[in-house]
Amino acid sequence: MDFDSRLASIGLATNQKDKIKGYQDLLAAILEHQDDHATATAHLELFVTAATEESVGLVVSRQALTDLTAAVEGAAQLPAENKKRVYKHALDKVQGRVVSFEEQVSSIRNNLASIYEDEEDWAEAAQVLQGIPLDSGHRIISNEFKVGIYIRIVRLLLEDDEAISAEAYLNRASVLMRDTKDISLQLTFKLSQAKISDFKNKFLEASSRYHEISYIQDIDYDERMQILSAAVVCAVLAGAGPQRSRMLATLYKDDRSQRLPHYSILEKMYLDRVLRSNEVSEFASTLKQHQLALLPDNTTVLDRAVIEHNLLSASKIYNNISFEELGALLGVKAEQAEARASKMMGEGRMSGSIDQIERLIFFDRTHGAHHDAPMLSTLWDASIQDLCGHVEELVGVIGAKYPDYVAAKIAI
């Protein structure tokens, strides 16, 4: 009996058990000849079409789809492209009745996503998983299963540099994490948090998270060292200031850091030594694409971090420096050097003052990078007091030269 006749005879059976047994036998017969890829794929598609007809009945259709998913997954000789074609056809056929086939759709989408993941088509794999029904009231779904899907979507979106979308799914997972006992899921969740902070240029937060994860013994040693290396990279890219100095100190004092390729730049930053262009270029070659993105001022995150670091280093060497000399030291224009110094002083990340008339920057040597800079209100009060002093001196000079004028004004 040929394929079409067998398929038709199964449809005519009145007993559910006979139908299920008939579909199972037919499925096995199709995959016996899976080396004929085109024929096997065409027959599998016809199998799906027949088995999902409304006249067949839900019990039989569900079992047939479950058997098909397992059989296609285990068909070693069937190419990935043919498997994708069968899975997509099955999803199309039940599209209007997803509520009735939620469990089968979940399995098919999981398998289809795995194929896309193997092909490194991260976006398509994530999109397939996003179609899995997780909020239905028609079946009981464990929180652990939901978290597993959410975390997998997060991981795929991060591979595709889609940090914003990934964060949305990470937030969904975070609500359910307290019920999760799976150590692997917990670790992946923590690592995803660190990666999203990294993608969002929250480098201090990312560095702290990476460093914390690098101590977890359940992770393979080599992977822990990679995570520690990521912590160092993020600390280097963070904006200069007391918080970053503390993070650099923590990483520098970690004995494992000495075995990292970025240890030399970590050491220079911790010891407040000026970084040279060749060292910066070598470090930049190891950065990921999002870490090289341009900022609004047309510089990269690394450019900003190096400029701020070298500026802090200069504050340890010089009592004062002209705008032009500082610009030459930092490798930027004098105006950019002044603007960066002004910003860091305003944010309390460096202590000093700027004389725009003389075009000089004065560094306050009594405050190091590891101490809190004076509050802005204190600096403002000191500036006002200084201004009043100058005004009083001018009044004294005018009074000495024009005493009658000053007496008349005071009387008024």
Side-chain angles (χ1 to χ4, degrees), residues 364-376:
D364 186 350
R365 303 294 293 278
T366 61
H367 292 82
H370 301 273
H371 298 85
D372 293 332
M375 295 293 290
L376 286 177

Side-chain angles (χ1 to χ4, degrees), residues 245-262:
S245 296
R246 285 192 288 271
M247 193 68 235
L248 288 172
T250 301
L251 292 168
Y252 180 73
K253 293 172 184 176
D254 189 326
D255 293 337
R256 301 172 300 162
S257 297
Q258 296 178 20
R259 298 190 286 274
L260 297 176
H262 303 311

Side-chain angles (χ1 to χ4, degrees), residues 256-274:
R256 301 172 300 162
S257 297
Q258 296 178 20
R259 298 190 286 274
L260 297 176
H262 303 311
Y263 180 70
S264 60
I265 199 166
L266 169 65
E267 184 177 40
K268 280 201 166 187
M269 284 203 155
Y270 171 70
L271 298 174
D272 292 325
R273 295 174 183 168
V274 174

Side-chain angles (χ1 to χ4, degrees), residues 103-302:
E103 191 172 335
Q104 289 72 28
V105 167
S106 294
S107 297
I108 291 170
R109 286 188 175 275
N110 256 317
N111 293 349
L112 184 56
S114 295
I115 295 174
Y116 282 122
E117 193 172 347
D118 290 339
E119 296 173 349
E120 297 188 1
D121 189 345
W122 317 117
E124 195 64 37
Q127 188 174 355
V128 168
L129 288 176
Q130 286 167 2
I132 293 178
L134 296 175
D135 299 317
S136 170
H138 294 81
R139 65 180 179 134
I140 298 173
I141 306 173
S142 70
N143 286 343
E144 203 150 288
F145 178 80
K146 291 180 181 180
V147 169
I149 296 298
Y150 289 145
I151 293 296
R152 191 177 174 192
I153 292 172
V154 168
R155 181 170 53 78
L156 292 167
L157 289 171
L158 287 175
E159 289 284 0
D160 199 45
D161 292 347
E162 290 290 340
I164 295 175
S165 301
E167 187 176 24
Y169 280 93
L170 190 73
N171 290 337
R172 294 187 190 183
S174 66
V175 178
L176 307 172
M177 280 306 297
R178 63 180 180 274
D179 300 324
T180 304
K181 302 295 187 291
D182 190 313
I183 300 297
S184 177
L185 283 179
Q186 292 175 355
L187 292 178
T188 308
F189 176 79
K190 288 181 179 180
L191 193 56
S192 297
Q193 284 182 313
K195 286 183 177 179
I196 286 174
S197 296
D198 186 349
F199 270 94
K200 294 175 70 178
N201 289 0
K202 295 181 177 179
F203 293 116
L204 271 178
E205 182 180 299
S207 181
S208 179
R209 290 183 187 278
Y210 280 133
H211 189 238
E212 179 187 341
I213 297 168
S214 73
Y215 280 111
I216 299 176
Q217 296 299 316
D218 293 308
I219 303 174
D220 180 73
Y221 174 79
D222 290 337
E223 191 173 350
R224 275 188 281 133
M225 291 303 291
Q226 289 179 4
I227 293 170
L228 180 62
S229 181
V232 171
V233 169
C234 288
V236 169
L237 294 175
Q243 287 183 311
R244 190 189 73 153
S245 296
R246 285 192 288 271
M247 193 68 235
L248 288 172
T250 301
L251 292 168
Y252 180 73
K253 293 172 184 176
D254 189 326
D255 293 337
R256 301 172 300 162
S257 297
Q258 296 178 20
R259 298 190 286 274
L260 297 176
H262 303 311
Y263 180 70
S264 60
I265 199 166
L266 169 65
E267 184 177 40
K268 280 201 166 187
M269 284 203 155
Y270 171 70
L271 298 174
D272 292 325
R273 295 174 183 168
V274 174
L275 296 173
R276 300 302 175 189
S277 58
N278 61 321
E279 296 170 320
V280 175
S281 299
E282 184 180 343
F283 179 76
S285 65
T286 66
L287 297 181
K288 296 176 182 177
Q289 193 61 42
H290 73 274
Q291 294 168 335
L292 294 170
L294 290 176
L295 298 172
D297 60 358
N298 226 25
T299 61
T300 66
V301 174
L302 179 59

Side-chain angles (χ1 to χ4, degrees), residues 300-359:
T300 66
V301 174
L302 179 59
D303 292 335
R304 180 199 65 187
V306 171
I307 289 171
E308 291 185 352
H309 168 76
N310 285 344
L311 184 50
L312 270 182
S313 299
S315 73
K316 306 293 175 60
I317 302 169
Y318 298 92
N319 286 322
N320 58 71
I321 189 171
S322 69
F323 295 173
E324 288 72 22
E325 289 174 332
L326 183 60
L329 179 66
L330 301 179
V332 297
K333 294 178 180 177
E335 291 74 17
Q336 291 176 302
E338 185 232 344
R340 180 60 60 184
S342 174
K343 187 174 189 296
M344 290 178 67
M345 289 177 187
E347 293 174 351
R349 292 189 285 143
M350 185 173 70
S351 299
S353 60
I354 298 176
D355 187 335
Q356 291 182 318
I357 297 174
E358 298 294 332
R359 295 180 65 78

